[in-house]
Amino acid sequence: MASQYTKLQSIEVEDNLLLPYQVSNPTQKKSQNKFASYFYRVKGYIIKKWKILLLLMFVLLLIAGVILIPVLVLRYKTSTISDQCDEYGKEIINNAVQKGTEAYSRLSTLVTLFPGRLSGSEQLENAIDWIQDMMLDDGFDLVKTDDVEVTHWVRGDESATILQPYHRKMNMLGLGGSIAGNVTAEVIVVSSFDELDTLQDQVKGKIVLFNAIFTNYSSTVQYRSGGASAAAKYGGVAALVRSITPYSLGTPHTGVMFYQDGIDKIPTAAITLEDADLIQNLAILNQTVIVNLYMEAQTMPTNAISRNVMAQINGSTYPDEVVVIGGHTDSWDVAQGAMDDGGGIVVAWEALRLIKSLGIIPKRTIRVVGWTNEENGAAGGAAYAQLYTNETFFSIESDIGVTQPLGFNVMASEQTITDLQLIADKVLSPIKTTSIVEGEVGTDNGFLVSNGKPGAQLITDESKYFWYHHTAGDAMDKMDPSQMNQCVAAMATMALCISNWVGQLN
Ligand SMILES: [Zn+2]
């Protein structure tokens, strides 16, 4: 009460007025005098605190300026970078995220009907037929396939069994490209190529196990791709590789390997993290480990014919300049290939379909490409670049899973990366896909980038990607429809904004 009295007193002094309801019954005449009382109080307050209020207004204006000016500048800037990117982006994202897309159901159908789409397989060609038929039904401006000659490797029966110090069958997968073999020999364990060099005198006649701990894919994968020839160089008779993954539930991971010219070819396979560590521990316990590796794998004497499949919306202003979006249609034989890379091609395809269904006509042609043979040869990407590099304006591949989208890796000029960052900040922030960093693009559009064209890769949350990569676990149960919708939104928005780019881009 003391403070109220003080306040009243001060108002009294400054205004020469006694506010009646506050000295009589406070509830009486309140409504009639409400306006008058507020008026006088506010007036008094302003007179008394004008300096503070002025400061407050200044601060509010400053805050508004800090928020509004960048928004306006960004809006102005994005419109000078890409025509209507802002408004189309909003429309695309709203539709993809709120109304949803067919990405999940198309992928589910694709991988259910055609799992194990390895190059040379009927499954892959049937999948490409199915995609092409669906693309024709979608009513794109142009749907076509280009023949591509691809390697035809077949797994056949295979096994890896510990025979000594006890009998134990291992989960294994032969590596793509490996020759057949039936080898029984003692195992020598190394954790790196350096250690192999150090122990080279002990390698002859043995099976070399490369038990290198996963750090990241690009540095650890060298043991899968080059382990066999490294072992054979010192007289190794077979090579086993710890699966290229940070995590395992007893799952072996396959993948491509290459033989070096001039070195004997030996059979090679991946085993699980569990079995790799088991063998290593047996060796540490001075146990002699003998393993039988049996593989019927073979590369067929003649290459197979596969196809790149593509569909497009013709550009209204620059139809001869093409923005490419895509993924690869092939997968490893043991996988459904939902994550690698059925999801990638379906998301790119659905992005194009969304743009079309919204009636948006891009200024440049947008083309979705399903590259073939990414997994064991990348002949699809190479063939595409050979035919279409010149007309390529930009390319975006999706091949690290279509989980939560985070942004894009970009190979382009600094200016382009800065401009794409502006666009991402302005348009893609609702789906938090704003990370634009210089970095590796996909294997397939990598050929276009090597030929000097700017390109990008959709970046997603890949924290679990390599858990399933190239395994039987790469299946539909790992896919999330809402995350896929966000990937569609990101891909469609970026493709549209780049197709409406103002001027050239490099
Ligand atoms: Zn892939």
Side-chain angles (χ1 to χ4, degrees), residues 427-485:
V427 188
L428 292 173
S429 53
I431 49 170
K432 300 184 177 72
T433 309
T434 53
S435 166
I436 303 291
V437 288
E438 188 173 15
E440 271 181 44
V441 299
T443 302
D444 301 298
N445 74 332
F447 290 96
L448 295 166
V449 171
S450 298
N451 288 351
K453 296 293 181 175
Q457 162 139 257
L458 177 67
I459 297 305
T460 55
D461 173 10
E462 56 178 297
S463 54
K464 292 182 183 170
Y465 181 70
F466 290 105
W467 294 12
Y468 319 120
H469 187 242
H470 298 178
T471 73
D474 174 359
M476 209 53 211
D477 62 306
K478 313 299 185 306
M479 309 309 294
D480 178 295
S482 70
Q483 289 179 343
M484 288 187 73
N485 289 340

Side-chain angles (χ1 to χ4, degrees), residues 131-140 142-144 311 349:
I131 292 170
Q132 187 183 16
D133 288 347
M134 294 275 283
M135 283 174 164
L136 285 165
D137 285 348
D138 290 338
F140 292 116
L142 177 93
V143 177
K144 69 166 188 165
W349 171 16

Side-chain angles (χ1 to χ4, degrees), residues 39 98 109 120 148 174 181 259 304 403 456:
F39 175 78
Q98 280 159 28
T109 312
V148 181
Y259 290 114
T403 56

Side-chain angles (χ1 to χ4, degrees), residues 146 148 308-310 312 322-325 367-369 371 378-392 395 444-445 447-448 451:
D146 289 336
V148 181
N308 287 332
V309 59
M310 59 201 86
Q312 70 189 42
V322 180
V323 176
V324 175
I325 52 176
R367 178 183 299 160
V368 56
V369 182
W371 288 284
Y384 183 88
Q386 204 165 28
L387 288 171
Y388 303 111
T389 293
N390 281 347
E391 64 182 39
T392 302
S395 64
D444 301 298
N445 74 332
F447 290 96
L448 295 166
N451 288 351

Side-chain angles (χ1 to χ4, degrees), residues 62-101:
L62 199 70
I63 290 168
V66 165
I67 294 167
L68 278 176
I69 289 167
V71 168
L72 292 172
V73 168
L74 210 56
R75 197 188 175 88
Y76 169 74
K77 272 196 176 167
T78 52
S79 70
T80 61
I81 295 168
S82 171
D83 196 33
Q84 290 178 285
C85 163
D86 206 357
E87 60 181 272
Y88 285 150
K90 271 186 198 133
E91 200 182 344
I92 286 167
I93 291 167
N94 282 343
N95 269 274
V97 173
Q98 280 159 28
K99 292 187 188 160
T101 75

